Amino acid sequence: MKTRQFLILILFTLGQQLMAQETIVSGQLSDSDTPLFRATILVKGTNRVTTTDFDGNYSIKCRVGDTLIYSYVGMETREVRVTQEMLSVSLGDEESISIPVQQIKSSDYQKALDSLQPPLNLQLDFHGKPFKMKDGHTDLSNIKSLQWIGDKDTLILVKHGPKIYFNIEYIGSIGTRSIDRSKLPELQHKYVQGRPQNGQYIWRGPETGEIFSYGPDQRSLVFDGSNYLYDTNGRLIPGSGTTPLPYTNELFEHGLIYKNDYQLALARKDHAIKFRLKHAQQENFYGQNDSRQTVFHTDYHWKRRLKLFFSHSTDQLNQKNLNGFQNNLFLQNFVTPISFQNNQGISVNAGLQRSFSPDEFNNPLWTLARSRNNQQNDGYSMGTSYKFDFKSTTELELRAQYQLDEISTNYGLPNGSVGFTNGYLAQKSIQDQAFLFGADFSERIELSYETDIDFAVKADYVRRSLDYSLTESFQFQGTNFTNPANTSLNIQNSTNGVYRLSNSAKLESRGSIDANFYLHHNAIISGLQGNDLWMPGVGFQLDFNELTSYDSFLNDLIISAEYAEEASEMPLFYSNRSHNSLTLAPEQSQSLLTNADLFNNSSLALEKSTNFEIGLQLILFNHRLRLNGTYFSSHMKDGIFPVLDSGSFVLRNTVDIHNKGFEVSASLDVGGYYGEGLKLTTKLNFSVNRARVKKLRQGLNSLPIAGFNNVSIRMIPSQLTGSIVGSAYQRTEDGQLLIGQDGFPLVDPENQIIGNTTPDFKLAFANTLKFKGWTFDFVLDYQHGGDVWNGTQNLLNYLGRSEESSRLREVSGFVYPGVDTQGNVNTTPVDFSDPSQPITSNRWVRYGYDGVDEDAITDASYLLLRSIGLSYKFDFGINKIFQNLKVGFYANNLMSYTSSKGISPNSSLFGFTNGRGLDFFNTPIVREIGGQIQIKL
């Protein structure tokens, strides 16, 4: 997990020629584009200190060679050495893009300069006269005027502003979300519900329970106008004429999204308080209110020592993908034949469900209207911290926090639903509480002007408690979830206390090569999972900044390496529920329940890992180009996964995994160095990751982690994680297909490894173009390689609903390449769909509900325009009521390419974390387009 950090943007420097020794360094601190108020900047070894204003701006007087210490409550402290150029700052593993020194552009400041005699230049060369700041204020953007006093031997900067500072900001957006219809599975619109019979294709209506769409061409049929329970137009009979066929059964609609974000900040002397309120509401793809979210946060600071905070969030989610709800909704919609119209009604006589095949598939509109599917999440967090400064080099911070997370879900399908014939209702409640106490102590010892040793101790204690209850009700009377015949109750309570201790020592040496060497040691004591009291680590960083030059090709070279041992405890509640579908076949997906919940317990050991990383950073071409390369290798031991034992899942330490790879990134800045003209920032990230299973415990030969009972992603020793195992065709030793007597390929009786979800590499490409107030940006994601199981396509082929089954249905006399069981070259021709034969001999139906899994393996490569935006910012000046206004347009997932339609790069089976690479009517690609406005007062 990356440590939260802040970024520094050096805006300008002043007075580099004042006395050739001192300079005023100014900049801006931000965290993910949000300015940091009251962050501290200290000149190391002195009592010279300043803080940032509401916009994160600061200025501080220092000398070239000094070290600036940047600190903010809740974030890691960063140190930056002042150089003559002071053009860029690197702050750890989150890259900060800096620009060269920018001259002052304040209009008031420039007017004051112009009015003085003799004129002064922007380097503030006062011909040896002293330079003073009134009230110690160093925010040059707030200058009201400049004036000489006395005999003009002193220059006074006069600031202005109220005694109470405030900042009001509003960000609002409105947009639409929609399914990208061009990326949906390709369906056929030619053949109606039915099957071959007596040498010809016939229509078979819903009363027959027919699931296949291997009936006749809809153009050869007409409605007879009779009184028919399942269609207001009557029954289909042979004939010619105009009909409303094919029914489209359009399910998806555009959903609106509203977002509002209000922020208020107040400060006076040593006190500062912030309030933030966020509200969001969106509709789903079916024209219904999908979710509402409200977040409130406030924090108070006193003298950069005391911090108090409180936050509350609530999410109300409707039609969430609980128990595969969304997957099953898409399935029910896509498999509906073109001769059945879902929206003619969801029920028939006695309230029974109206569906094209009532015993096999639900009408998706019945599912939407009659189901209970909602979840509410409430979160509370409050805490405090206090920092003691014993002297300039010694600090102690005490922390305390309380967290409460409550999750309440309801899921039900009424009597008469496929998968739950007698009805089902589940009500689940999860309450997770945590008390956190911590202390951070740091001590700096200065061995010399250029050498320091930093010691740090961090101690944390977390006490968690979990209260879980699940009520399940079955066999209801009617469709109103009343009077269940059976009810069960499952209650679980657990607690765990965890102590963590971290000690570190860092030797910092500044010279021709800036060198950092550090040692650290971690320890953990878990009340449930045991202890690990010895987890050492060592690392170094060498910065060759003074061996390079600003004017040369190579401006900086940084080399780093680290070795660390870690251990982690599992949460009290195991939230990854991908194991729940492993006991089901694909045809049972409509009865999926994810209530086989698992919990931390004393039989589990800590997950342990050893990690090694080496990095190289190059800064080139006057700081325009940054290149970063990282190689990593980690070994995880005792990984925790669910294991099926005697018909039930249990958590066990089952797997050891070795993960290695590398990441290369480049960032290029072109133009616009002085706030004018066109500026282009381009970032490129290339990554390769290989995680391989080294060992399985518990006597396992393989471990399924997601999927179904006949096709799944498995952990297999010596194989990359993400192995897809399923049915495959039988082959000879040299790889030829074995062909049966009927001319069709034979299926291997044993499942095989048929693919792997691991991609060859991933590439991310981001661009930001700025011109005056305009900003244009976009992000492209590309993945090359990897496999995905497209079970959606196999089922649509089986049922005759796919474009492929329609296009190839008339193929006859086809000879499969391969050999028969005697080793002879196959010469037996076959017809893919022969009306004189039973439907079970058809090319697709013969292999079962989900077909041969090998046929469903497709390339997982994709190209996705993840985001694109255009905005314009009006700057009115910081002394105006309206400081700035920003309006813009954005779009997410606007364009994409995948090797197979219907495959979404962002989805996974039933939304499970481990289900990526398995597609069985997963959520399609979702586009979002909207506009945004931002006002700052």
Side-chain angles (χ1 to χ4, degrees):
M1 180 180 295
K2 289 186 175 181
T3 304
R4 187 165 174 245
Q5 301 178 359
F6 53 82
L7 309 181
I8 301 178
L9 179 63
I10 300 299
L11 296 180
F12 50 82
T13 60
L14 275 180
Q16 290 185 0
Q17 301 176 12
L18 184 60
M19 296 179 64
Q21 291 100 350
E22 291 195 338
T23 181
I24 296 176
V25 173
S26 301
Q28 185 184 59
L29 303 186
S30 63
D31 174 27
S32 301
D33 298 327
T34 300
L36 295 182
F37 175 56
R38 286 193 174 274
T40 300
I41 302 92
L42 170 72
V43 180
K44 183 177 177 181
T46 73
N47 59 3
R48 189 176 299 163
V49 64
T50 189
T51 59
T52 56
D53 62 14
F54 277 119
D55 297 318
N57 297 317
Y58 71 93
S59 296
I60 191 166
K61 184 183 292 187
C62 56
R63 299 172 183 268
V64 172
D66 282 347
T67 297
L68 300 182
I69 301 175
Y70 297 85
S71 60
Y72 188 76
V73 176
M75 297 187 180
E76 282 192 347
T77 298
R78 285 290 179 266
E79 297 186 7
V80 178
R81 191 178 184 193
V82 180
T83 65
Q84 187 64 39
E85 295 82 9
M86 203 62 200
L87 299 180
S88 63
V89 181
S90 178
L91 293 175
D93 54 1
E94 291 278 352
E95 184 173 300
S96 171
I97 301 302
S98 303
I99 63 175
V101 175
Q102 181 177 349
Q103 296 174 345
I104 297 175
K105 295 299 180 182
S106 166
S107 59
D108 291 332
Y109 177 76
Q110 189 62 53
K111 289 177 182 177
L113 289 178
D114 293 341
S115 67
L116 296 174
Q117 298 294 332
L120 299 178
N121 60 34
L122 288 179
Q123 281 71 41
L124 295 183
D125 184 357
F126 300 117
H127 310 290
K129 297 180 184 299
F131 178 70
K132 296 182 180 180
M133 296 283 186
K134 184 178 180 180
D135 297 334
H137 184 68
T138 57
D139 183 2
L140 300 180
S141 62
N142 235 357
I143 293 174
K144 182 177 181 180
S145 64
L146 296 171
Q147 63 182 18
W148 294 104
I149 62 174
D151 58 353
K152 293 188 176 181
D153 62 349
T154 302
L155 180 68
I156 295 294
L157 303 184
V158 182
K159 70 179 179 69
H160 64 80
K163 295 299 183 180
I164 297 180
Y165 298 89
F166 73 92
N167 183 13
I168 301 174
E169 188 170 353
Y170 167 76
I171 302 174
S173 66
I174 182 172
T176 65
R177 296 170 71 239
S178 61
I179 297 292
D180 186 350
R181 289 171 171 80
S182 67
K183 303 303 178 183
L184 294 177
E186 293 185 291
L187 304 177
Q188 61 93 357
H189 303 283
K190 185 176 182 181
Y191 299 108
V192 301
Q193 183 177 6
R195 66 172 66 194
Q197 184 174 315
N198 299 325
Q200 56 184 321
Y201 296 105
I202 65 168
W203 168 74
R204 287 162 55 91
E207 70 278 7
T208 68
E210 181 63 72
I211 64 173
F212 295 107
S213 290
Y214 285 106
D217 189 328
Q218 53 96 1
R219 293 171 296 182
S220 66
L221 302 172
V222 294
F223 286 102
D224 65 3
S226 63
N227 184 16
Y228 182 45
L229 191 62
Y230 293 96
D231 199 306
T232 57
N233 296 300
R235 297 174 180 271
L236 284 171
I237 59 173
S240 60
T242 302
T243 70
L245 298 182
Y247 292 135
T248 57
N249 288 306
E250 182 61 59
L251 180 66
F252 307 117
E253 299 181 14
H254 290 265
L256 291 176
I257 308 173
Y258 309 88
K259 295 180 182 179
N260 295 283
D261 186 349
Y262 308 89
Q263 298 182 54
L264 169 64
L266 301 170
R268 185 178 184 275
K269 292 185 177 180
D270 297 326
H271 305 273
I273 188 169
K274 280 186 177 182
F275 302 92
R276 186 172 190 179
L277 177 64
K278 297 173 65 176
H279 177 73
Q281 182 174 334
Q282 71 179 32
E283 297 175 341
N284 59 26
F285 313 124
Y286 323 111
Q288 303 173 328
N289 283 334
D290 184 35
S291 67
R292 292 184 179 183
Q293 180 188 61
T294 303
V295 178
F296 172 76
H297 176 84
T298 182
D299 60 61
Y300 167 78
H301 295 257
W302 176 71
K303 286 188 175 181
R304 304 183 304 277
R305 293 178 178 271
L306 174 67
K307 178 181 179 181
L308 302 170
F309 67 91
F310 170 82
S311 63
H312 169 60
S313 64
T314 180
D315 294 324
Q316 295 176 326
L317 308 170
N318 296 313
Q319 310 301 10
K320 185 177 169 63
N321 199 18
L322 298 173
N323 303 300
F325 180 86
Q326 299 287 349
N327 295 68
N328 287 320
L329 205 61
F330 297 142
L331 180 154
Q332 294 155 13
N333 186 63
F334 293 150
V335 302
T336 302
I338 64 170
S339 53
F340 184 86
Q341 193 167 35
N342 286 322
N343 64 9
Q344 287 191 26
I346 62 173
S347 61
V348 290
N349 294 338
L352 297 178
Q353 180 179 183
R354 176 184 172 273
S355 167
F356 81 91
S357 183
D359 294 330
E360 299 294 334
F361 296 100
N362 290 320
N363 184 325
L365 301 181
W366 163 282
T367 303
L368 281 171
R370 297 293 177 84
S371 65
R372 288 191 181 180
N373 181 6
N374 58 76
Q375 176 173 313
Q376 178 160 327
N377 304 330
D378 287 287
Y380 301 85
S381 180
M382 62 189 74
T384 184
S385 64
Y386 192 88
K387 184 182 294 185
F388 300 87
D389 295 320
F390 298 104
K391 53 184 179 178
S392 61
T393 59
T394 306
E395 278 189 1
L396 173 64
E397 183 177 8
L398 302 179
R399 296 173 279 106
Q401 185 175 349
Y402 170 75
Q403 288 181 245
L404 172 62
D405 294 303
E406 297 177 315
I407 302 175
S408 177
T409 62
N410 291 277
Y411 180 83
L413 285 171
N415 190 0
S417 300
V418 176
F420 303 97
T421 304
N422 297 315
Y424 174 81
L425 179 64
Q427 297 169 299
K428 185 182 296 186
S429 173
I430 301 173
Q431 187 181 82
D432 188 358
Q433 295 186 80
F435 293 90
L436 302 90
F437 303 95
D440 301 332
F441 176 80
S442 63
E443 171 79 16
R444 166 162 289 192
I445 300 176
E446 297 187 2
L447 302 180
S448 67
Y449 180 74
E450 294 185 339
T451 306
D452 304 319
I453 296 181
D454 291 328
F455 296 98
V457 179
K458 183 177 182 179
D460 290 285
Y461 173 72
V462 181
R463 181 71 175 179
R464 291 192 176 275
S465 63
L466 177 75
D467 296 302
Y468 167 98
S469 69
L470 170 65
T471 302
E472 294 180 285
S473 302
F474 311 85
Q475 296 181 328
F476 295 95
Q477 300 295 323
T479 60
N480 295 320
F481 301 101
T482 57
N483 301 319
N486 296 291
T487 298
S488 66
L489 177 63
N490 179 14
I491 295 178
Q492 300 283 338
N493 305 105
S494 59
T495 59
N496 189 26
V498 177
Y499 297 88
R500 281 188 173 272
L501 179 67
S502 176
N503 306 286
S504 65
K506 181 177 73 171
L507 174 66
E508 179 182 352
S509 176
R510 298 173 296 278
S512 58
I513 300 176
D514 289 346
N516 292 327
F517 300 91
Y518 51 89
L519 300 171
H520 60 82
H521 163 258
N522 297 324
I524 181 173
I525 300 175
S526 171
L528 283 176
Q529 293 182 259
N531 312 323
D532 194 332
L533 303 180
W534 178 246
M535 293 181 286
V538 62
F540 72 86
Q541 176 178 295
L542 302 177
D543 187 342
F544 298 85
N545 63 319
E546 292 196 9
L547 297 182
T548 58
S549 170
Y550 174 77
D551 298 323
S552 67
F553 163 75
L554 178 62
N555 308 129
D556 203 353
L557 170 64
I558 301 173
I559 299 174
S560 61
E562 181 179 11
Y563 169 85
E565 296 183 11
E566 298 176 359
S568 59
E569 75 278 9
M570 198 195 86
L572 291 176
F573 179 78
Y574 186 76
S575 59
N576 188 344
R577 302 172 183 175
S578 57
H579 60 282
N580 283 271
S581 63
L582 288 169
T583 58
L584 302 178
E587 55 265 37
Q588 297 173 301
S589 69
Q590 292 178 98
S591 60
L592 171 66
L593 291 175
T594 57
N595 292 330
D597 293 319
L598 302 172
F599 307 89
N600 196 346
N601 60 82
S602 59
S603 68
L604 297 173
L606 296 167
E607 290 184 333
K608 301 178 182 179
S609 63
T610 58
N611 308 287
F612 172 75
E613 184 176 298
I614 185 168
L616 173 67
Q617 181 181 15
L618 299 174
I619 302 177
L620 310 166
F621 302 116
N622 294 338
H623 293 252
R624 296 176 184 266
L625 178 63
R626 293 168 178 264
L627 300 176
N628 291 273
T630 303
Y631 169 81
F632 58 88
S633 176
S634 66
H635 294 262
M636 182 186 74
K637 182 180 179 182
D638 292 331
I640 297 173
F641 286 91
V643 176
L644 189 62
D645 185 358
S646 302
S648 300
F649 284 100
V650 293
L651 288 174
R652 288 180 179 165
N653 297 97
T654 57
V655 64
D656 296 350
I657 296 174
H658 178 211
N659 184 29
K660 64 180 180 179
F662 65 90
E663 182 174 333
V664 178
S665 64
S667 178
L668 176 66
D669 287 306
V670 179
Y673 269 16
Y674 295 97
E676 299 178 348
L678 193 69
K679 179 183 178 182
L680 173 66
T681 300
T682 298
K683 297 180 181 180
L684 190 68
N685 183 276
F686 176 88
S687 61
V688 174
N689 191 76
R690 296 288 181 270
R692 191 175 299 275
V693 180
K694 303 301 292 184
K695 181 180 180 181
L696 283 179
R697 305 176 187 278
Q698 311 294 332
L700 298 172
N701 296 319
S702 69
L703 176 65
I705 60 173
F708 297 103
N709 61 11
N710 57 346
V711 57
S712 59
I713 294 177
R714 290 176 174 256
M715 299 281 193
I716 301 175
S718 77
Q719 298 291 325
L720 294 175
T721 59
S723 293
I724 304 175
V725 176
S727 59
Y729 293 113
Q730 207 167 358
R731 285 179 165 82
T732 62
E733 292 183 359
D734 59 355
Q736 296 188 75
L737 284 174
L738 275 179
I739 309 300
Q741 293 181 356
D742 56 7
F744 284 94
L746 297 173
V747 178
D748 197 307
E750 298 292 332
N751 280 358
Q752 305 292 325
I753 298 176
I754 55 178
N756 195 286
T757 62
T758 304
D760 298 330
F761 64 85
K762 289 187 174 183
L763 188 67
F765 182 58
N767 282 271
T768 300
L769 186 65
K770 293 186 176 182
F771 179 70
K772 296 185 177 178
W774 291 97
T775 299
F776 173 73
D777 58 75
F778 68 87
V779 177
L780 279 172
D781 280 352
Y782 175 70
Q783 174 177 300
H784 183 270
D787 297 309
V788 60
W789 174 75
N790 190 354
T792 302
Q793 184 66 40
N794 265 19
L795 179 55
L796 293 175
N797 287 342
Y798 171 79
L799 295 173
R801 284 293 293 121
S802 68
E803 188 277 334
E804 176 186 326
S805 64
S806 172
R807 174 169 44 86
L808 301 179
R809 175 169 157 170
E810 304 300 327
V811 170
S812 62
F814 181 82
V815 178
Y816 278 96
V819 298
D820 61 23
T821 55
Q822 305 302 316
N824 300 314
V825 175
N826 177 50
T827 59
T828 304
V830 297
D831 296 339
F832 282 10
S833 182
D834 184 351
S836 65
Q837 299 295 322
I839 195 171
T840 52
S841 64
N842 160 313
R843 153 70 180 88
W844 298 279
V845 179
R846 68 190 300 108
Y847 291 115
Y849 191 86
D850 58 324
V852 180
D853 298 316
E854 178 184 336
D855 285 337
I857 295 298
T858 186
D859 183 13
S861 298
Y862 67 82
L863 177 65
L864 176 65
L865 180 59
R866 188 168 295 281
S867 65
I868 185 170
L870 177 66
S871 64
Y872 187 82
K873 185 177 182 181
F874 301 87
D875 279 315
F876 305 114
I878 62 174
N879 298 320
K880 307 295 183 181
I881 295 179
F882 287 91
Q883 294 185 28
N884 57 63
L885 168 67
K886 185 177 180 181
V887 293
F889 155 86
Y890 72 91
N892 299 327
N893 300 333
L894 192 61
M895 298 174 59
S896 64
Y897 164 80
T898 56
S899 60
S900 298
K901 282 194 173 183
I903 299 295
S904 171
N906 302 319
S907 69
S908 60
L909 181 65
F910 303 125
F912 298 146
T913 303
N914 291 336
R916 189 171 297 275
L918 300 176
D919 189 289
F920 193 72
F921 299 91
N922 293 359
T923 303
I925 293 176
V926 178
R927 286 176 174 172
E928 183 177 332
I929 300 174
Q932 186 178 75
I933 183 172
Q934 180 177 348
I935 302 173
K936 190 172 184 180
L937 304 178

